[in-house]
Short mmCIF file of all heavy atoms in Angstrom, two decimals:
data_model
loop_
_atom_site.label_atom_id
_atom_site.label_comp_id
_atom_site.label_asym_id
_atom_site.label_seq_id
_atom_site.Cartn_x
_atom_site.Cartn_y
_atom_site.Cartn_z
N MET A 108 -2.71 3.15 66.09
CA MET A 108 -3.74 4.09 66.40
C MET A 108 -3.29 4.92 67.60
O MET A 108 -2.69 4.37 68.51
CB MET A 108 -5.02 3.35 66.69
CG MET A 108 -6.16 4.25 67.13
SD MET A 108 -7.69 3.39 67.46
CE MET A 108 -8.09 2.79 65.87
N THR A 109 -3.60 6.15 67.57
CA THR A 109 -3.23 7.01 68.65
C THR A 109 -4.26 6.96 69.80
O THR A 109 -5.34 6.41 69.63
CB THR A 109 -3.08 8.48 68.16
OG1 THR A 109 -4.36 8.89 67.70
CG2 THR A 109 -2.04 8.57 67.06
N ILE A 110 -3.92 7.59 70.87
CA ILE A 110 -4.83 7.65 71.99
C ILE A 110 -6.07 8.46 71.63
O ILE A 110 -7.20 8.05 71.93
CB ILE A 110 -4.14 8.17 73.22
CG1 ILE A 110 -2.98 7.26 73.66
CG2 ILE A 110 -5.06 8.42 74.37
CD1 ILE A 110 -2.06 7.81 74.68
N ALA A 111 -5.86 9.54 70.96
CA ALA A 111 -7.03 10.38 70.55
C ALA A 111 -7.93 9.65 69.54
O ALA A 111 -9.16 9.79 69.64
CB ALA A 111 -6.52 11.71 69.92
N GLY A 112 -7.36 8.90 68.69
CA GLY A 112 -8.16 8.10 67.76
C GLY A 112 -9.01 7.08 68.46
O GLY A 112 -10.19 6.85 68.11
N GLY A 113 -8.42 6.39 69.46
CA GLY A 113 -9.21 5.43 70.22
C GLY A 113 -10.35 6.10 70.99
O GLY A 113 -11.46 5.54 71.03
N LEU A 114 -10.08 7.24 71.59
CA LEU A 114 -11.12 7.97 72.29
C LEU A 114 -12.22 8.41 71.32
O LEU A 114 -13.44 8.35 71.66
CB LEU A 114 -10.55 9.15 73.04
CG LEU A 114 -9.70 8.82 74.32
CD1 LEU A 114 -9.08 10.11 74.84
CD2 LEU A 114 -10.58 8.19 75.32
N ALA A 115 -11.84 8.86 70.15
CA ALA A 115 -12.83 9.31 69.17
C ALA A 115 -13.72 8.13 68.78
O ALA A 115 -14.95 8.31 68.66
CB ALA A 115 -12.12 9.92 67.95
N LEU A 116 -13.13 6.97 68.54
CA LEU A 116 -13.99 5.82 68.17
C LEU A 116 -14.93 5.41 69.30
O LEU A 116 -16.06 5.01 69.05
CB LEU A 116 -13.11 4.60 67.79
CG LEU A 116 -12.46 4.64 66.41
CD1 LEU A 116 -11.57 3.38 66.22
CD2 LEU A 116 -13.50 4.71 65.37
N ILE A 117 -14.47 5.51 70.52
CA ILE A 117 -15.31 5.18 71.64
C ILE A 117 -16.49 6.16 71.75
O ILE A 117 -17.63 5.75 71.95
CB ILE A 117 -14.53 5.18 72.99
CG1 ILE A 117 -13.55 3.99 73.00
CG2 ILE A 117 -15.44 5.09 74.17
CD1 ILE A 117 -12.56 4.00 74.12
N ILE A 118 -16.21 7.42 71.55
CA ILE A 118 -17.27 8.46 71.61
C ILE A 118 -18.28 8.26 70.50
O ILE A 118 -19.52 8.29 70.73
CB ILE A 118 -16.64 9.85 71.62
CG1 ILE A 118 -15.89 10.09 72.97
CG2 ILE A 118 -17.70 10.92 71.40
CD1 ILE A 118 -15.07 11.30 72.94
N ILE A 119 -17.74 8.08 69.28
CA ILE A 119 -18.69 7.92 68.14
C ILE A 119 -19.50 6.64 68.30
O ILE A 119 -20.72 6.60 68.01
CB ILE A 119 -17.87 7.88 66.82
CG1 ILE A 119 -17.26 9.23 66.55
CG2 ILE A 119 -18.75 7.45 65.65
CD1 ILE A 119 -16.24 9.27 65.45
N GLY A 120 -18.86 5.57 68.79
CA GLY A 120 -19.60 4.30 69.00
C GLY A 120 -20.67 4.48 70.05
O GLY A 120 -21.77 3.94 69.91
N ALA A 121 -20.37 5.22 71.14
CA ALA A 121 -21.36 5.39 72.19
C ALA A 121 -22.56 6.24 71.69
O ALA A 121 -23.72 5.96 72.05
CB ALA A 121 -20.67 6.07 73.41
N ILE A 122 -22.25 7.21 70.88
CA ILE A 122 -23.35 8.00 70.28
C ILE A 122 -24.21 7.15 69.41
O ILE A 122 -25.50 7.21 69.50
CB ILE A 122 -22.78 9.21 69.54
CG1 ILE A 122 -22.19 10.23 70.49
CG2 ILE A 122 -23.84 9.85 68.67
CD1 ILE A 122 -21.36 11.32 69.78
N LEU A 123 -23.62 6.33 68.58
CA LEU A 123 -24.43 5.44 67.70
C LEU A 123 -25.17 4.41 68.50
O LEU A 123 -26.35 4.07 68.15
CB LEU A 123 -23.55 4.75 66.69
CG LEU A 123 -22.96 5.62 65.57
CD1 LEU A 123 -21.99 4.79 64.72
CD2 LEU A 123 -24.05 6.21 64.72
N ARG A 124 -24.58 3.89 69.57
CA ARG A 124 -25.22 2.82 70.33
C ARG A 124 -26.38 3.36 71.22
O ARG A 124 -27.41 2.73 71.29
CB ARG A 124 -24.15 2.18 71.20
CG ARG A 124 -24.69 1.17 72.18
CD ARG A 124 -24.78 -0.17 71.51
NE ARG A 124 -25.07 -1.19 72.52
CZ ARG A 124 -26.00 -2.12 72.40
NH1 ARG A 124 -26.68 -2.16 71.23
NH2 ARG A 124 -26.25 -2.98 73.32
N TYR A 125 -26.18 4.49 71.84
CA TYR A 125 -27.14 4.88 72.87
C TYR A 125 -27.96 6.15 72.50
O TYR A 125 -29.03 6.35 73.06
CB TYR A 125 -26.41 5.21 74.19
CG TYR A 125 -25.70 3.99 74.72
CD1 TYR A 125 -24.34 3.90 74.77
CD2 TYR A 125 -26.43 2.88 75.17
CE1 TYR A 125 -23.67 2.80 75.23
CE2 TYR A 125 -25.76 1.74 75.61
CZ TYR A 125 -24.37 1.70 75.66
OH TYR A 125 -23.72 0.61 76.12
N ALA A 126 -27.52 6.97 71.56
CA ALA A 126 -28.24 8.25 71.30
C ALA A 126 -29.01 8.23 70.00
O ALA A 126 -29.95 8.99 69.87
CB ALA A 126 -27.24 9.38 71.31
N VAL A 127 -28.62 7.44 69.05
CA VAL A 127 -29.31 7.43 67.74
C VAL A 127 -30.54 6.54 67.81
O VAL A 127 -30.41 5.34 68.15
CB VAL A 127 -28.36 7.00 66.61
CG1 VAL A 127 -29.09 6.88 65.30
CG2 VAL A 127 -27.20 7.97 66.52
N THR A 128 -31.67 7.12 67.46
CA THR A 128 -32.92 6.31 67.49
C THR A 128 -33.38 5.92 66.09
O THR A 128 -34.36 5.18 65.95
CB THR A 128 -34.04 7.10 68.21
OG1 THR A 128 -34.19 8.31 67.57
CG2 THR A 128 -33.65 7.34 69.68
N TRP A 129 -32.76 6.45 65.09
CA TRP A 129 -33.11 6.18 63.70
C TRP A 129 -32.82 4.72 63.36
O TRP A 129 -31.77 4.17 63.77
CB TRP A 129 -32.35 7.14 62.78
CG TRP A 129 -32.60 6.89 61.31
CD1 TRP A 129 -33.75 7.15 60.67
CD2 TRP A 129 -31.72 6.31 60.41
NE1 TRP A 129 -33.60 6.81 59.37
CE2 TRP A 129 -32.34 6.31 59.15
CE3 TRP A 129 -30.42 5.81 60.47
CZ2 TRP A 129 -31.77 5.82 58.02
CZ3 TRP A 129 -29.80 5.38 59.32
CH2 TRP A 129 -30.52 5.35 58.12
N ARG A 130 -33.68 4.07 62.68
CA ARG A 130 -33.50 2.65 62.29
C ARG A 130 -33.30 2.55 60.79
O ARG A 130 -33.98 3.17 60.02
CB ARG A 130 -34.74 1.82 62.63
CG ARG A 130 -35.14 1.87 64.06
CD ARG A 130 -34.36 0.85 64.86
NE ARG A 130 -34.74 0.92 66.26
CZ ARG A 130 -33.93 0.64 67.25
NH1 ARG A 130 -32.72 0.25 66.98
NH2 ARG A 130 -34.33 0.73 68.47
N ALA A 131 -32.35 1.74 60.39
CA ALA A 131 -32.11 1.49 58.98
C ALA A 131 -32.40 -0.02 58.71
O ALA A 131 -32.15 -0.86 59.61
CB ALA A 131 -30.65 1.77 58.63
N ASP A 132 -32.89 -0.33 57.58
CA ASP A 132 -33.21 -1.71 57.22
C ASP A 132 -31.98 -2.52 56.92
O ASP A 132 -31.96 -3.74 57.17
CB ASP A 132 -34.14 -1.73 56.03
CG ASP A 132 -35.50 -1.17 56.33
OD1 ASP A 132 -35.88 -1.18 57.53
OD2 ASP A 132 -36.18 -0.67 55.41
N TRP A 133 -30.93 -1.92 56.47
CA TRP A 133 -29.75 -2.63 55.96
C TRP A 133 -28.60 -2.70 56.98
O TRP A 133 -27.65 -3.41 56.74
CB TRP A 133 -29.24 -1.98 54.67
CG TRP A 133 -29.07 -0.47 54.76
CD1 TRP A 133 -30.04 0.48 54.63
CD2 TRP A 133 -27.88 0.20 55.09
NE1 TRP A 133 -29.52 1.71 54.85
CE2 TRP A 133 -28.18 1.56 55.10
CE3 TRP A 133 -26.60 -0.16 55.35
CZ2 TRP A 133 -27.27 2.57 55.37
CZ3 TRP A 133 -25.63 0.83 55.62
CH2 TRP A 133 -25.99 2.16 55.62
N VAL A 134 -28.70 -1.99 58.10
CA VAL A 134 -27.62 -2.08 59.11
C VAL A 134 -28.21 -1.86 60.47
O VAL A 134 -29.17 -1.11 60.68
CB VAL A 134 -26.52 -1.07 58.83
CG1 VAL A 134 -27.01 0.35 59.03
CG2 VAL A 134 -25.29 -1.32 59.73
N ASN A 135 -27.68 -2.57 61.46
CA ASN A 135 -28.10 -2.39 62.89
C ASN A 135 -27.13 -1.35 63.49
O ASN A 135 -25.98 -1.65 63.73
CB ASN A 135 -28.04 -3.73 63.61
CG ASN A 135 -28.62 -3.63 64.99
OD1 ASN A 135 -28.82 -2.52 65.51
ND2 ASN A 135 -28.86 -4.77 65.61
N ILE A 136 -27.67 -0.17 63.73
CA ILE A 136 -26.82 0.95 64.18
C ILE A 136 -26.25 0.66 65.61
O ILE A 136 -25.14 1.03 65.92
CB ILE A 136 -27.64 2.29 64.14
CG1 ILE A 136 -28.10 2.44 62.76
CG2 ILE A 136 -26.82 3.38 64.75
CD1 ILE A 136 -27.85 3.70 62.08
N GLY A 137 -27.02 0.02 66.46
CA GLY A 137 -26.55 -0.33 67.80
C GLY A 137 -25.38 -1.24 67.79
O GLY A 137 -24.41 -1.03 68.56
N THR A 138 -25.42 -2.25 66.92
CA THR A 138 -24.29 -3.17 66.81
C THR A 138 -23.11 -2.50 66.27
O THR A 138 -21.98 -2.74 66.69
CB THR A 138 -24.71 -4.37 65.92
OG1 THR A 138 -25.89 -4.98 66.46
CG2 THR A 138 -23.59 -5.38 65.84
N LEU A 139 -23.29 -1.62 65.30
CA LEU A 139 -22.18 -0.88 64.69
C LEU A 139 -21.52 0.00 65.78
O LEU A 139 -20.28 0.07 65.83
CB LEU A 139 -22.66 -0.02 63.53
CG LEU A 139 -21.59 0.82 62.84
CD1 LEU A 139 -20.58 -0.03 62.21
CD2 LEU A 139 -22.25 1.77 61.83
N GLY A 140 -22.32 0.65 66.63
CA GLY A 140 -21.78 1.43 67.71
C GLY A 140 -20.99 0.59 68.68
O GLY A 140 -19.90 1.01 69.18
N ALA A 141 -21.49 -0.56 69.01
CA ALA A 141 -20.74 -1.46 69.94
C ALA A 141 -19.42 -1.91 69.32
O ALA A 141 -18.39 -1.96 70.07
CB ALA A 141 -21.62 -2.69 70.26
N ILE A 142 -19.41 -2.21 68.06
CA ILE A 142 -18.17 -2.62 67.40
C ILE A 142 -17.15 -1.49 67.41
O ILE A 142 -15.95 -1.68 67.66
CB ILE A 142 -18.43 -3.09 65.96
CG1 ILE A 142 -19.21 -4.39 65.97
CG2 ILE A 142 -17.17 -3.21 65.14
CD1 ILE A 142 -19.76 -4.86 64.62
N LEU A 143 -17.63 -0.25 67.21
CA LEU A 143 -16.72 0.91 67.23
C LEU A 143 -16.20 1.17 68.61
O LEU A 143 -15.02 1.51 68.79
CB LEU A 143 -17.45 2.16 66.68
CG LEU A 143 -17.67 2.24 65.21
CD1 LEU A 143 -18.48 3.47 64.86
CD2 LEU A 143 -16.34 2.22 64.50
N MET A 144 -17.05 0.98 69.61
CA MET A 144 -16.55 1.14 71.00
C MET A 144 -15.48 0.09 71.37
O MET A 144 -14.49 0.43 72.03
CB MET A 144 -17.68 1.05 72.00
CG MET A 144 -18.58 2.30 71.98
SD MET A 144 -19.73 2.37 73.37
CE MET A 144 -20.78 0.99 73.02
N ILE A 145 -15.70 -1.12 70.96
CA ILE A 145 -14.71 -2.19 71.26
C ILE A 145 -13.41 -1.94 70.50
O ILE A 145 -12.34 -2.03 71.07
CB ILE A 145 -15.24 -3.58 70.90
CG1 ILE A 145 -16.42 -3.92 71.82
CG2 ILE A 145 -14.20 -4.62 70.91
CD1 ILE A 145 -17.19 -5.13 71.42
N GLY A 146 -13.52 -1.50 69.21
CA GLY A 146 -12.31 -1.19 68.46
C GLY A 146 -11.58 0.00 69.03
O GLY A 146 -10.35 0.06 69.06
N GLY A 147 -12.35 1.00 69.53
CA GLY A 147 -11.71 2.15 70.12
C GLY A 147 -11.00 1.81 71.44
O GLY A 147 -9.91 2.30 71.71
N ALA A 148 -11.56 0.90 72.21
CA ALA A 148 -10.95 0.47 73.46
C ALA A 148 -9.65 -0.28 73.19
O ALA A 148 -8.63 -0.06 73.84
CB ALA A 148 -11.91 -0.40 74.29
N VAL A 149 -9.65 -1.13 72.18
CA VAL A 149 -8.49 -1.87 71.81
C VAL A 149 -7.38 -0.91 71.31
O VAL A 149 -6.21 -0.99 71.72
CB VAL A 149 -8.78 -2.96 70.76
CG1 VAL A 149 -7.50 -3.51 70.18
CG2 VAL A 149 -9.63 -4.04 71.34
N GLY A 150 -7.77 0.06 70.49
CA GLY A 150 -6.79 1.05 70.00
C GLY A 150 -6.33 1.95 71.13
O GLY A 150 -5.11 2.30 71.10
N LEU A 151 -7.15 2.29 72.05
CA LEU A 151 -6.71 3.13 73.20
C LEU A 151 -5.66 2.38 74.01
O LEU A 151 -4.65 2.94 74.37
CB LEU A 151 -7.94 3.47 74.04
CG LEU A 151 -7.66 4.28 75.30
CD1 LEU A 151 -7.16 5.68 74.92
CD2 LEU A 151 -8.89 4.43 76.11
N PHE A 152 -5.93 1.12 74.33
CA PHE A 152 -4.96 0.36 75.11
C PHE A 152 -3.69 0.13 74.36
O PHE A 152 -2.60 0.14 74.95
CB PHE A 152 -5.57 -0.99 75.60
CG PHE A 152 -6.65 -0.78 76.64
CD1 PHE A 152 -7.85 -1.40 76.49
CD2 PHE A 152 -6.43 -0.03 77.77
CE1 PHE A 152 -8.87 -1.21 77.43
CE2 PHE A 152 -7.36 0.16 78.74
CZ PHE A 152 -8.61 -0.45 78.57
N ALA A 153 -3.75 -0.11 73.07
CA ALA A 153 -2.55 -0.26 72.29
C ALA A 153 -1.74 1.03 72.23
O ALA A 153 -0.52 1.03 72.32
CB ALA A 153 -2.94 -0.72 70.84
N GLY A 154 -2.43 2.17 72.09
CA GLY A 154 -1.73 3.45 72.09
C GLY A 154 -1.07 3.77 73.41
O GLY A 154 0.08 4.23 73.48
N LEU A 155 -1.75 3.42 74.49
CA LEU A 155 -1.16 3.61 75.83
C LEU A 155 0.06 2.67 76.05
O LEU A 155 1.04 3.11 76.63
CB LEU A 155 -2.21 3.37 76.93
CG LEU A 155 -3.26 4.44 77.09
CD1 LEU A 155 -4.33 3.98 78.09
CD2 LEU A 155 -2.65 5.74 77.54
N ALA A 156 -0.03 1.45 75.59
CA ALA A 156 1.04 0.52 75.72
C ALA A 156 2.28 1.00 74.96
O ALA A 156 3.40 0.92 75.42
CB ALA A 156 0.66 -0.88 75.29
N LEU A 157 2.05 1.47 73.74
CA LEU A 157 3.16 1.98 72.96
C LEU A 157 3.79 3.19 73.61
O LEU A 157 5.04 3.39 73.58
CB LEU A 157 2.70 2.33 71.54
CG LEU A 157 2.42 1.14 70.64
CD1 LEU A 157 1.86 1.63 69.28
CD2 LEU A 157 3.69 0.39 70.38
N GLN A 158 2.97 4.07 74.14
CA GLN A 158 3.46 5.28 74.81
C GLN A 158 4.32 4.93 76.01
O GLN A 158 5.37 5.51 76.26
CB GLN A 158 2.30 6.22 75.21
CG GLN A 158 2.72 7.56 75.69
CD GLN A 158 3.18 8.42 74.56
OE1 GLN A 158 2.96 8.18 73.43
NE2 GLN A 158 3.87 9.47 74.96
N LEU A 159 3.80 3.97 76.83
CA LEU A 159 4.61 3.59 77.98
C LEU A 159 5.88 2.85 77.63
O LEU A 159 6.87 3.04 78.34
CB LEU A 159 3.72 2.67 78.90
CG LEU A 159 2.59 3.39 79.60
CD1 LEU A 159 1.73 2.35 80.36
CD2 LEU A 159 3.10 4.45 80.53
N SER A 160 5.89 2.08 76.56
CA SER A 160 7.10 1.39 76.16
C SER A 160 8.14 2.38 75.60
O SER A 160 9.35 2.20 75.81
CB SER A 160 6.81 0.33 75.11
OG SER A 160 6.41 0.90 73.90
N LYS A 161 7.69 3.46 74.97
CA LYS A 161 8.62 4.46 74.51
C LYS A 161 9.28 5.16 75.69
O LYS A 161 10.46 5.45 75.72
CB LYS A 161 7.91 5.53 73.68
CG LYS A 161 7.56 5.11 72.34
CD LYS A 161 6.87 6.23 71.51
CE LYS A 161 6.38 5.80 70.22
NZ LYS A 161 5.66 6.88 69.52
N ARG A 162 8.49 5.47 76.72
CA ARG A 162 9.01 6.14 77.90
C ARG A 162 10.03 5.23 78.62
O ARG A 162 11.06 5.68 79.09
CB ARG A 162 7.93 6.52 78.88
CG ARG A 162 7.12 7.68 78.42
CD ARG A 162 6.11 8.12 79.46
NE ARG A 162 5.29 9.18 78.91
CZ ARG A 162 4.20 9.65 79.55
NH1 ARG A 162 3.88 9.12 80.65
NH2 ARG A 162 3.51 10.61 79.00
N ARG A 163 9.74 3.96 78.71
CA ARG A 163 10.69 3.03 79.40
C ARG A 163 11.95 2.92 78.64
O ARG A 163 13.03 2.88 79.22
CB ARG A 163 10.04 1.66 79.52
CG ARG A 163 9.46 1.45 80.90
CD ARG A 163 9.09 0.01 81.10
NE ARG A 163 7.68 -0.01 81.34
CZ ARG A 163 6.82 -0.83 80.86
NH1 ARG A 163 7.21 -1.77 80.04
NH2 ARG A 163 5.57 -0.74 81.13
N SER A 164 11.87 2.85 77.31
CA SER A 164 13.14 2.70 76.51
C SER A 164 13.97 3.94 76.56
O SER A 164 15.16 3.89 76.52
CB SER A 164 12.81 2.26 75.10
OG SER A 164 12.14 3.34 74.44
N GLN A 165 13.32 5.11 76.64
CA GLN A 165 14.07 6.36 76.66
C GLN A 165 14.72 6.51 78.02
O GLN A 165 15.81 7.06 78.17
CB GLN A 165 13.16 7.54 76.41
CG GLN A 165 12.75 7.67 74.98
CD GLN A 165 11.74 8.81 74.73
OE1 GLN A 165 11.29 9.45 75.70
NE2 GLN A 165 11.38 9.01 73.51
N ALA A 166 14.07 6.04 79.08
CA ALA A 166 14.64 6.17 80.44
C ALA A 166 15.80 5.24 80.61
O ALA A 166 16.75 5.57 81.36
CB ALA A 166 13.57 5.91 81.46
N ARG A 167 15.82 4.10 79.97
CA ARG A 167 16.93 3.15 80.16
C ARG A 167 18.12 3.46 79.29
O ARG A 167 19.22 3.12 79.67
CB ARG A 167 16.39 1.76 79.84
CG ARG A 167 15.46 1.19 80.86
CD ARG A 167 15.08 -0.22 80.54
NE ARG A 167 14.06 -0.67 81.45
CZ ARG A 167 13.42 -1.84 81.34
NH1 ARG A 167 13.69 -2.60 80.32
NH2 ARG A 167 12.55 -2.20 82.24
N SER A 168 17.91 3.99 78.13
CA SER A 168 19.03 4.21 77.23
C SER A 168 19.63 5.60 77.47
O SER A 168 19.17 6.57 76.87
CB SER A 168 18.58 4.06 75.79
OG SER A 168 17.65 5.04 75.46
N ARG A 169 20.60 5.65 78.30
CA ARG A 169 21.27 6.91 78.56
C ARG A 169 22.67 6.85 77.87
O ARG A 169 23.37 5.83 77.97
CB ARG A 169 21.48 7.16 80.04
CG ARG A 169 20.17 7.37 80.71
CD ARG A 169 20.38 7.71 82.18
NE ARG A 169 19.06 7.89 82.78
CZ ARG A 169 18.93 8.06 84.08
NH1 ARG A 169 19.95 8.09 84.86
NH2 ARG A 169 17.72 8.23 84.55
N VAL A 170 23.01 7.89 77.25
CA VAL A 170 24.32 7.91 76.53
C VAL A 170 25.23 8.79 77.33
O VAL A 170 24.98 9.93 77.71
CB VAL A 170 24.11 8.52 75.14
CG1 VAL A 170 25.47 8.60 74.40
CG2 VAL A 170 23.13 7.66 74.33
N TYR A 171 26.40 8.20 77.64
CA TYR A 171 27.49 8.96 78.33
C TYR A 171 28.57 9.19 77.33
O TYR A 171 29.06 8.29 76.64
CB TYR A 171 27.98 8.15 79.53
CG TYR A 171 26.98 7.97 80.60
CD1 TYR A 171 26.27 6.78 80.75
CD2 TYR A 171 26.64 9.02 81.46
CE1 TYR A 171 25.33 6.64 81.69
CE2 TYR A 171 25.70 8.87 82.44
CZ TYR A 171 25.05 7.68 82.56
OH TYR A 171 24.10 7.57 83.55
N GLU A 172 29.02 10.39 77.27
CA GLU A 172 30.08 10.75 76.34
C GLU A 172 31.23 11.27 77.14
O GLU A 172 31.09 12.11 78.03
CB GLU A 172 29.60 11.83 75.39
CG GLU A 172 30.56 12.20 74.35
CD GLU A 172 29.97 13.18 73.33
OE1 GLU A 172 28.78 13.06 73.07
OE2 GLU A 172 30.73 14.01 72.85
N GLN A 173 32.42 10.76 76.85
CA GLN A 173 33.59 11.19 77.54
C GLN A 173 34.58 11.73 76.48
O GLN A 173 34.89 11.04 75.48
CB GLN A 173 34.19 10.00 78.25
CG GLN A 173 35.10 10.37 79.36
CD GLN A 173 35.43 9.15 80.23
OE1 GLN A 173 35.25 8.02 79.81
NE2 GLN A 173 35.93 9.41 81.43
N ARG A 174 35.09 12.95 76.73
CA ARG A 174 36.01 13.55 75.78
C ARG A 174 37.31 13.80 76.44
O ARG A 174 37.40 14.18 77.63
CB ARG A 174 35.45 14.87 75.25
CG ARG A 174 34.15 14.68 74.49
CD ARG A 174 33.68 15.99 73.98
NE ARG A 174 32.44 15.81 73.22
CZ ARG A 174 31.82 16.74 72.57
NH1 ARG A 174 32.34 17.95 72.54
NH2 ARG A 174 30.73 16.48 71.94
N TYR A 175 38.39 13.66 75.68
CA TYR A 175 39.75 13.96 76.16
C TYR A 175 40.29 15.08 75.29
O TYR A 175 40.20 15.04 74.07
CB TYR A 175 40.63 12.70 76.02
CG TYR A 175 40.17 11.59 76.86
CD1 TYR A 175 39.44 10.50 76.36
CD2 TYR A 175 40.43 11.52 78.26
CE1 TYR A 175 39.03 9.47 77.11
CE2 TYR A 175 40.04 10.49 79.03
CZ TYR A 175 39.28 9.45 78.46
OH TYR A 175 38.93 8.43 79.25
N TYR A 176 40.87 16.05 75.97
CA TYR A 176 41.46 17.18 75.27
C TYR A 176 42.98 17.18 75.53
O TYR A 176 43.39 17.00 76.63
CB TYR A 176 40.87 18.47 75.73
CG TYR A 176 39.41 18.66 75.37
CD1 TYR A 176 38.39 18.39 76.33
CD2 TYR A 176 39.04 19.01 74.09
CE1 TYR A 176 37.05 18.53 75.99
CE2 TYR A 176 37.69 19.14 73.73
CZ TYR A 176 36.73 18.91 74.70
OH TYR A 176 35.40 19.03 74.36
N GLU A 177 43.68 17.42 74.47
CA GLU A 177 45.13 17.55 74.61
C GLU A 177 45.54 18.99 74.24
O GLU A 177 44.95 19.56 73.32
CB GLU A 177 45.83 16.54 73.67
CG GLU A 177 45.62 15.13 74.08
CD GLU A 177 46.36 14.18 73.17
OE1 GLU A 177 47.20 14.64 72.35
OE2 GLU A 177 46.12 12.96 73.25
N GLU A 178 46.52 19.45 74.92
CA GLU A 178 47.07 20.79 74.61
C GLU A 178 47.79 20.68 73.27
O GLU A 178 48.45 19.70 72.98
CB GLU A 178 48.03 21.25 75.69
CG GLU A 178 47.34 21.52 77.01
CD GLU A 178 46.41 22.70 76.95
OE1 GLU A 178 46.71 23.66 76.20
OE2 GLU A 178 45.36 22.69 77.61
N PRO A 179 47.72 21.71 72.45
CA PRO A 179 48.44 21.67 71.17
C PRO A 179 49.95 21.72 71.39
O PRO A 179 50.45 22.39 72.33
CB PRO A 179 47.97 22.94 70.46
CG PRO A 179 47.16 23.70 71.41
CD PRO A 179 46.88 22.87 72.60
N ARG A 180 50.67 20.99 70.59
CA ARG A 180 52.15 20.92 70.68
C ARG A 180 52.74 22.14 70.06
O ARG A 180 52.26 22.64 69.02
CB ARG A 180 52.66 19.66 70.02
CG ARG A 180 52.22 18.44 70.74
CD ARG A 180 52.77 17.24 70.07
NE ARG A 180 52.25 16.01 70.70
CZ ARG A 180 52.45 14.83 70.29
NH1 ARG A 180 53.28 14.64 69.29
NH2 ARG A 180 51.93 13.84 70.88
N GLN A 181 53.86 22.61 70.65
CA GLN A 181 54.49 23.86 70.12
C GLN A 181 55.80 23.58 69.50
O GLN A 181 56.58 22.76 69.70
CB GLN A 181 54.63 24.89 71.19
CG GLN A 181 53.30 25.32 71.67
CD GLN A 181 53.40 26.41 72.72
OE1 GLN A 181 54.50 26.86 73.07
NE2 GLN A 181 52.31 26.82 73.25
#
C-alpha cells in the first residue's frame, strides 16, 4: 500500500466514524470507520518503512567503474 492509499483510508475512516450520522441496521458505520482508520495507519507506516528502506539501500550501494584505455597499435 502506498502512503497516499494509507492517508486516504484514514480520511475515509474518520469521515465514517465521526461525521456520518446515518444508521444502518445491518452494519455499524462507526466500527467500520475505526477499522478503516486502523488499516490506513498500518498501511501508512508500512509505506513509510518501505520508502525509507529503499533510500537506505540506494545510498549504500554505490557503483564505481574504472576504465583503462590503450592507445591503438600502429
Side-chain angles (χ1 to χ4, degrees):
M108 176 178 294
T109 62
I110 296 170
L114 287 174
L116 281 179
I117 291 172
I118 292 169
I119 293 169
I122 290 170
L123 288 176
R124 174 85 171 134
Y125 300 112
V127 174
T128 57
W129 178 70
R130 301 276 180 211
D132 294 333
W133 50 276
V134 67
N135 187 345
I136 304 234
T138 304
L139 180 64
I142 291 170
L143 286 176
M144 286 191 294
I145 292 169
V149 170
L151 178 66
F152 289 128
L155 286 173
L157 287 174
Q158 189 73 15
L159 290 175
S160 69
K161 284 181 187 177
R162 286 186 184 170
R163 260 192 241 137
S164 66
Q165 288 175 355
R167 289 184 185 172
S168 63
R169 294 184 181 174
V170 176
Y171 295 102
E172 185 174 325
Q173 200 169 19
R174 295 183 181 185
Y175 296 100
Y176 293 101
E177 294 182 8
E178 294 292 326
R180 294 182 186 177
Q181 296 182 2

